Amino acid sequence: MSIQHALLTSLLEKPSSGYELANRFDHSIGYFWQATHQQIYRELARMADAGWLLAEHDATGTSRRKKTYHVLEAGRRELARWIAEPGDPGRSDQALLIKLRAEAVLGPLGASQELHRLIALHKTRLQMYRDIEQRDFPAADMDHAQKLRHAVLRMGIKTEENWLAWAKETLPLME
Amino acid sequence: MSIQHALLTSLLEKPSSGYELANRFDHSIGYFWQATHQQIYRELARMADAGWLLAEHDATGTSRRKKTYHVLEAGRRELARWIAEPGDPGRSDQALLIKLRAEAVLGPLGASQELHRLIALHKTRLQMYRDIEQRDFPAADMDHAQKLRHAVLRMGIKTEENWLAWAKETLPLME
DNA sequence: AGTGCCATGTAAATCGTTACATGATTGT
DNA sequence: ACAATCATGTAACGATTTACATGGCACT
């Protein structure tokens, strides 16, 4: 849904062609988001239609295949709007990472509120997992099957703890 | 792709209707996988067609709406086959969790190999992130924008470290 | 009689994946 | 001349999401 915003951020960092973005997505942002080149070309075309991007045709000699996309003011506004927007739970963790990168280029625009919101959400979820752990997984007397199910829950707990530890580290960076 | 195997596992734990599964997916497995009821109904119908499931029509009085699905031998075989299968990178972390739950019901069928494979994969990825950190993010002299980009990378690093810590905890459970 | 939850489904629109296709540029 | 890589796109298919639709059952 917000592959567009990831692309906008990437283009703000450096104006590029679709091909370059497809390769760039193997680095940095691409560690969290993967996108095929068709997805990228489609979204670039749409954003150009919407007036968020300008396609600069590199007319080198006879051919003018390569297009370098630049973010226009409307694109900047859209990205700024999105940063402040709550974002749906489930994908908002990944979205926050893009929001941080976007703020690195655009300056502070409300991502810290998103961070606070997500901290509350993850604290609630962690507490819920811990309650389940206490209820369903006594320290002793677990058979093998139960230990396996416990391991699955442990992953959930550790993931939440880890996320919160990262948030604590990251919070001071955002005013 | 393997919403089917998540459903098979859930149905082995307890034969259920589509509606019950849709709600159950808000608990346990549903902490990691979310699926809409249409997805669930579609896959249940397919798996029943394929002979993996039997739909028991609860004919209470005049109406026979509710169907309780039971896993058939072919379904058990398919799940066993899938547990041993490598699984595509990207979704294989989540898949492993389902494989653990599946083995809790079916007994050991090769998930430990998957765990070893993923440990190697995560170690490689962690090393790559750490290399990037050393190359691009010196301990001192970072401006605000760079600190934000560093925070994004830190999330990647911490996620890998956390995953590996979990794997170390979990390894002894699997022969 | 009405509200809310149980229970299943169809249909349309959008998104994502895979395959196919084309041609330019760069280096050997 | 040839291969590799740069660069963009169309088409088909399948999956997912969202909206719509239906009706039973339980409780008050």
Side-chain angles (χ1 to χ4, degrees):
Chain A
M1 220 26 86
S2 46
I3 210 178
Q4 297 191 326
H5 302 99
L7 291 172
L8 282 171
T9 302
S10 213
L11 287 174
L12 276 176
E13 288 171 352
K14 184 171 165 47
S16 314
S17 69
Y19 186 86
E20 286 165 336
L21 285 166
N23 289 338
R24 189 109 55 86
F25 261 52
D26 289 342
H27 302 333
S28 63
I29 280 175
Y31 295 131
F32 317 100
W33 292 77
Q34 57 255 39
T36 61
H37 74 274
Q38 289 82 352
Q39 258 180 98
I40 289 172
Y41 286 127
R42 196 209 307 155
E43 296 306 332
L44 287 174
R46 278 180 193 172
M47 290 193 288
D49 276 0
W52 298 358
L53 300 179
L54 182 76
E56 175 196 354
H57 292 255
D58 294 13
T60 47
T62 50
S63 79
R64 61 268 177 259
R65 303 277 297 163
K66 186 176 173 183
K67 297 175 198 166
T68 303
Y69 287 92
H70 301 262
V71 180
L72 297 177
E73 190 47 38
R76 243 190 210 85
R77 270 201 309 271
E78 167 57 24
L79 191 56
R81 187 199 63 72
W82 176 75
I83 288 171
E85 192 188 58
D88 82 313
R91 263 174 285 278
S92 48
D93 283 5
Q94 294 186 338
L96 181 68
L97 296 176
I98 293 175
K99 288 177 182 185
L100 293 196
R101 286 191 80 101
E103 282 202 348
V105 186
L106 292 177
L109 286 159
S112 70
Q113 280 163 271
E114 257 298 84
L115 183 55
H116 281 293
R117 212 179 57 89
L118 289 179
I119 286 171
L121 200 144
H122 282 281
K123 276 185 177 167
T124 305
R125 218 185 288 174
L126 174 56
Q127 193 51 56
M128 191 174 59
Y129 291 169
R130 283 183 173 157
D131 289 348
I132 293 169
E133 190 180 33
Q134 282 220 318
R135 197 179 315 125
D136 297 351
F137 298 100
D141 290 331
M142 285 200 276
D143 62 16
H144 186 240
Q146 227 173 338
K147 280 178 189 166
L148 285 176
R149 282 188 280 264
H150 187 217
V152 176
L153 182 61
R154 287 294 304 160
M155 176 81 270
I157 289 171
K158 286 176 82 74
T159 300
E160 297 304 328
E161 286 172 345
N162 186 58
W163 195 95
L164 287 166
W166 173 82
K168 209 169 186 176
E169 238 178 71
T170 303
L171 208 46
L173 298 180
M174 330 202 47
E175 33 52 292
Chain B
M1 217 29 84
S2 46
I3 210 178
Q4 297 191 327
H5 303 97
L7 290 172
L8 282 172
T9 302
S10 212
L11 286 175
L12 276 176
E13 288 171 351
K14 182 171 166 47
S16 314
S17 69
Y19 185 87
E20 285 165 336
L21 285 167
N23 289 338
R24 187 109 56 87
F25 260 51
D26 288 341
H27 301 335
S28 63
I29 280 175
Y31 295 130
F32 317 100
W33 291 77
Q34 58 255 36
T36 61
H37 73 274
Q38 288 82 354
Q39 262 180 96
I40 290 172
Y41 285 128
R42 195 214 307 155
E43 298 307 330
L44 286 175
R46 278 181 194 172
M47 290 194 287
D49 276 0
W52 298 357
L53 300 180
L54 182 76
E56 176 197 352
H57 292 255
D58 294 14
T60 49
T62 50
S63 80
R64 61 267 178 263
R65 302 277 296 162
K66 186 176 173 181
K67 298 175 198 166
T68 303
Y69 287 93
H70 301 261
V71 180
L72 296 177
E73 190 48 38
R76 244 191 209 83
R77 271 201 307 272
E78 167 56 24
L79 190 56
R81 187 198 63 72
W82 175 76
I83 288 172
E85 191 187 59
D88 82 313
R91 265 174 285 275
S92 47
D93 283 5
Q94 295 186 338
L96 181 68
L97 296 178
I98 294 175
K99 288 176 182 186
L100 293 197
R101 286 192 79 101
E103 282 202 348
V105 185
L106 292 178
L109 285 159
S112 72
Q113 281 163 268
E114 257 299 82
L115 182 55
H116 282 292
R117 212 178 60 87
L118 289 179
I119 286 171
L121 200 145
H122 282 282
K123 275 184 177 166
T124 305
R125 217 185 289 173
L126 174 57
Q127 193 51 56
M128 190 173 61
Y129 290 169
R130 283 183 173 156
D131 289 348
I132 293 170
E133 190 181 33
Q134 281 220 319
R135 198 179 314 126
D136 298 350
F137 299 101
D141 291 331
M142 285 201 274
D143 62 15
H144 187 239
Q146 226 172 339
K147 280 178 190 165
L148 284 176
R149 282 188 279 264
H150 187 218
V152 176
L153 183 61
R154 288 292 306 158
M155 176 81 271
I157 290 171
K158 286 176 81 76
T159 300
E160 296 305 328
E161 286 172 345
N162 186 58
W163 195 93
L164 286 166
W166 172 82
K168 209 170 186 177
E169 237 178 73
T170 303
L171 207 47
L173 296 181
M174 330 201 48
E175 37 50 294

